[in-house]
Amino acid sequence: MVLTSKRSSMIRFSFKRFLRRYCNYKKLISFLLLIILGQYFYPYFSNNDADSLPPLYSTQNLSTDSQHPFYEGCVDTKEYIEDKSYRKMNATFVMLTRNEELRDVLYTMNSIESHFNQWFQYPYVFLNDVPFTEEFQNKTKEMTKAKVEFGLINELDWNFPPYVKESPLFKEAMYDQGDRGIMYGPMESYHKMCRFYSGMFYKHPLMKQYEWYWRIEPDVDFYCDISYDPFLEMHIAGKKYGFTILIPEIYWSVPNLFRYTQSFIQKNVGMKLGSVWKLLTYNLNIMKTDDEEIKDWVHLDKDLDPKLREKIMLDLYKEGKLKGTGHEEEALDIAINKAQSKKPLFEDKFNNEEYNLCHFWSNFEIAKISVFDNDIYNAYFKYLEENEGFWKERWGDAPVHSLGLALTLDFEDLHYFRDIGYRHSILKHCPKNSIMQSNKDFPYQENDVKYRRKGLSSLYDKGTDYGIGCRCKCPRSFIDVEDAAYPCMDIWFELAHEMHFETNFDGEYHPSIDVKERENKIRSQILAEL
């Protein structure tokens, strides 16, 4: 593992403060570059003690019994499909797009058809708030042999209610978010898109006929061949939600989302959270103690021993046990510093928990529609809608999906499609090819002549011992977001390898550190030193 649980807990709050302070639209470019380059978030790109640093995630085999690629490298797709046990799932691609994005839509279709769908021929559902043009419909149909459907989003699902749109507060909110530099904050269409994907898309009549969906976007690259059926493999493995990228959200786009999420939980007494909650939140109540001062001052394991030492030194000073030991001055310094110090303030602490801003980048999702279309998630979306955060703030569908999923799903329900190479915008994930996979063993065989590969397009990256990809061709110079998305990927792999400091979770966090026991141990050590 690159980071241990202890190391993650030591620096996680400085990261959150960084996002709160610096992440606005004016500094967006710098922020994204920091994610890509990892200069701030990920200490392993620095030159300090380089020889002693563990390897990057992308250069390791990090599979576990519960979290691993369905296949490492390629399979014989023809043989896979012709196997008697294979069955095509009730699934579709879905894309929310506009007529003017046709060129980017065709680019995405070319990539997904070439790398996957020319063999499996899953249908497409395109959604728009205005009718698709004949040109859009004809050209998208020409890209695939699969069924293509075009849906119109009704006015109520796409637009905010009239009482919102006509309110002076609505225009003021748009203007204020733009003035404060919140990414996409002043764009009404972006707010509509986030709201629609947060709680409307899976209710569209064209989507209601399917059990599974794969969300795609205009202008997307797939870097590796997907020689198996992800829908079927998720079904067999009992998985419900799959992703390729896990990153932190920009703080000022969702400052009150977690507040309202906690409020929803409190209003639904008896709700048992899924263990995905551990992936997205920090527990700030880790200690069993009746000492109110310790409760107020300490929220991290790393801070407990120093604070207990201070407490014990002051107790020993009062008891007169430090006289003639040379430690009296240390105790006096502790007393002065304590008098001058302020209790730590956690602005985003609710119910002794804090959102760590991690979320599944929802522009790629492979999931069962039922993970959203259920009583709990529908009620959650309705509650968020009633509290108007989709326009008063810039709540994205990605953090809403992620926190909403954590209300019901367990960690074992998730699947990290680590073997699928993917790019959207400037963020990229691309695995190393499996050394088990070679062109000789599993040569590319097009199912449609338009996707025939010649010349450079038929050359793939060299396989490695730790590789998992199938016929991947990664960009020549890039840093995998897997290596830069601190702290989210650290927490993911800690949970996958059962190294996370919250080892037990039955729907709520419980204090795990016995402070009295720790205090007695430190007191004995100090007395032995005197």
Side-chain angles (χ1 to χ4, degrees):
M1 295 301 296
V2 171
L3 277 184
T4 64
S5 299
K6 182 177 181 181
R7 186 167 182 180
S8 289
S9 66
M10 288 175 65
I11 48 184
R12 61 195 186 191
F13 289 104
S14 62
F15 171 79
K16 180 94 179 269
R17 285 193 289 272
F18 172 85
L19 290 180
R20 184 185 300 119
R21 182 174 181 183
Y22 291 107
C23 290
N24 57 32
Y25 181 74
K26 296 174 183 177
K27 299 180 182 178
L28 169 64
I29 295 177
S30 298
F31 169 66
L32 291 176
L33 286 175
L34 287 171
I35 290 184
I36 299 300
L37 299 176
Q39 296 294 324
Y40 184 93
F41 310 129
Y42 209 74
Y44 308 118
F45 292 104
S46 68
N47 293 323
N48 299 330
D49 300 322
D51 292 339
S52 63
L53 294 174
L56 300 174
Y57 284 136
S58 61
T59 63
Q60 299 180 71
N61 180 351
L62 296 169
S63 296
T64 67
D65 290 341
S66 64
Q67 296 294 339
H68 56 83
F70 293 125
Y71 293 92
E72 293 189 0
C74 300
V75 299
D76 186 320
T77 305
K78 183 179 180 181
E79 184 178 301
Y80 179 92
I81 294 174
E82 291 178 350
D83 189 291
K84 292 182 180 180
S85 64
Y86 175 74
R87 64 187 180 95
K88 193 171 180 179
M89 303 301 290
N90 182 23
T92 184
F93 293 103
V94 61
M95 182 191 293
L96 175 66
T97 187
R98 299 171 292 185
N99 288 305
E100 55 267 33
E101 294 179 299
L102 176 58
R103 183 177 179 179
D104 289 339
V105 170
L106 298 179
Y107 183 88
T108 295
M109 291 186 72
N110 180 73
S111 188
I112 194 64
E113 286 288 323
S114 170
H115 291 292
F116 169 73
N117 207 46
Q118 61 169 314
W119 302 297
F120 294 91
Q121 297 182 22
Y122 277 101
Y124 290 83
V125 169
F126 291 104
L127 301 175
N128 197 350
D129 66 311
V130 299
F132 284 107
T133 64
E134 284 190 22
E135 179 188 23
F136 187 101
Q137 295 184 48
N138 291 336
K139 289 196 172 182
T140 51
K141 287 179 179 178
E142 290 172 2
M143 292 296 296
T144 180
K145 295 179 180 178
K147 179 181 178 182
V148 183
E149 298 178 282
F150 304 92
L152 184 64
I153 305 170
N154 68 49
E155 179 70 12
L156 290 177
D157 285 347
W158 181 246
N159 268 313
F160 290 101
Y163 74 87
V164 170
K165 286 273 294 182
E166 296 167 7
S167 168
L169 291 176
F170 182 81
K171 291 184 179 180
E172 175 62 26
M174 296 296 113
Y175 174 82
D176 178 64
Q177 291 174 51
D179 187 55
R180 290 188 289 124
I182 296 174
M183 183 182 178
Y184 305 130
M187 294 176 59
E188 182 180 330
S189 61
Y190 195 84
H191 288 261
K192 292 177 181 178
M193 180 274 291
C194 291
R195 173 178 173 267
F196 178 77
Y197 262 133
S198 290
M200 307 287 192
F201 84 97
Y202 54 86
K203 296 180 180 179
H204 192 280
L206 291 181
M207 295 299 295
K208 295 287 283 185
Q209 61 186 313
Y210 295 106
E211 183 182 1
W212 295 83
Y213 75 93
W214 182 336
R215 177 173 163 183
I216 53 177
E217 297 284 333
D219 187 26
V220 159
D221 276 310
F222 289 91
Y223 295 128
C224 309
D225 285 338
I226 306 162
S227 55
Y228 61 89
D229 187 335
F231 297 113
L232 176 61
E233 297 302 331
M234 287 188 70
H235 168 73
I236 293 172
K239 301 291 185 178
K240 299 177 181 178
Y241 184 88
F243 68 97
T244 57
I245 292 177
L246 177 67
I247 56 173
E249 179 59 290
I250 298 172
Y251 175 81
W252 287 112
S253 64
V254 291
N256 286 298
L257 176 59
F258 191 61
R259 180 196 303 270
Y260 286 113
T261 301
Q262 283 282 5
S263 176
F264 174 77
I265 294 169
Q266 296 303 314
K267 289 179 182 295
N268 289 268
V269 179
M271 177 186 295
K272 183 180 178 181
L273 301 177
S275 59
V276 175
W277 194 254
K278 292 196 293 184
L279 178 64
L280 308 179
T281 60
Y282 294 136
N283 176 18
L284 303 183
N285 182 25
I286 62 174
M287 291 161 293
K288 301 174 184 176
T289 181
D290 295 324
D291 191 321
E292 294 300 324
E293 182 177 354
I294 293 295
K295 286 183 179 179
D296 288 341
W297 280 88
V298 179
H299 294 90
L300 302 175
D301 190 357
K302 76 174 184 72
D303 296 328
L304 179 57
D305 286 4
K307 183 57 64 177
L308 286 176
R309 180 178 176 87
E310 291 178 0
K311 177 179 182 295
I312 294 166
M313 291 298 289
L314 290 177
D315 288 345
L316 293 174
Y317 181 84
K318 294 173 186 177
E319 296 166 11
K321 294 183 179 180
L322 296 183
K323 287 183 179 181
T325 64
H327 290 278
E328 291 173 286
E329 186 174 342
E330 178 187 350
L332 291 174
D333 287 341
I334 289 172
I336 294 171
N337 289 335
K338 182 178 178 181
Q340 295 175 339
S341 299
K342 296 180 180 179
K343 292 179 181 179
L345 176 65
F346 293 93
E347 300 175 41
D348 303 309
K349 181 176 75 169
F350 304 102
N351 192 32
N352 279 318
E353 297 171 3
E354 184 177 16
Y355 178 32
N356 60 24
L357 297 176
C358 294
H359 65 283
F360 308 112
W361 217 29
S362 58
N363 45 70
F364 176 106
E365 293 179 324
I366 300 178
K368 297 192 75 169
I369 289 177
S370 60
V371 298
F372 298 113
D373 198 7
N374 59 70
D375 291 342
I376 292 177
Y377 186 88
N378 283 322
Y380 175 60
F381 172 75
K382 182 181 178 182
Y383 186 77
L384 296 183
E385 175 93 322
E386 291 170 349
N387 284 283
E388 304 178 328
F390 290 108
W391 58 274
K392 286 184 177 178
E393 296 182 12
R394 205 234 67 197
W395 292 352
D397 53 281
V400 171
H401 277 196
S402 302
L403 288 168
L405 291 169
L407 300 178
T408 59
L409 297 190
D410 289 322
F411 188 75
E412 294 73 21
D413 296 324
L414 303 179
H415 182 73
Y416 175 24
F417 280 102
R418 197 177 182 218
D419 58 314
I420 295 182
Y422 176 76
R423 176 204 62 82
H424 180 62
S425 186
I426 63 173
L427 296 185
K428 307 178 184 73
H429 166 65
C430 193
K432 305 293 189 295
N433 275 325
S434 170
I435 202 167
M436 300 293 292
Q437 166 261 308
S438 69
N439 293 342
K440 293 181 180 179
D441 295 333
F442 300 104
Y444 172 79
Q445 295 179 338
E446 73 276 3
N447 196 42
D448 190 325
V449 292
K450 74 172 68 173
Y451 299 115
R452 182 168 296 165
R453 296 175 187 171
K454 298 179 180 179
L456 294 177
S457 65
S458 63
L459 301 178
Y460 311 109
D461 297 344
K462 185 178 179 180
T464 65
D465 290 333
Y466 50 84
I468 56 175
C470 169
R471 295 190 288 265
C472 297
K473 190 172 185 178
C474 299
R476 285 199 170 197
S477 178
F478 87 106
I479 293 177
D480 198 322
V481 69
E482 181 180 276
D483 292 327
Y486 171 80
C488 304
M489 292 310 301
D490 301 316
I491 301 172
W492 169 266
F493 284 122
E494 286 169 2
L495 286 167
H497 286 257
E498 300 182 351
M499 294 175 62
H500 196 269
F501 50 91
E502 300 290 353
T503 54
N504 299 311
F505 191 83
D506 59 1
E508 60 181 305
Y509 287 120
H510 299 283
S512 58
I513 300 173
D514 190 325
V515 175
K516 196 64 180 177
E517 180 180 321
R518 185 84 66 88
E519 182 178 353
N520 290 337
K521 181 179 179 181
I522 295 174
R523 183 183 179 91
S524 297
Q525 292 173 347
I526 292 175
L527 289 173
E529 296 171 3
L530 297 180

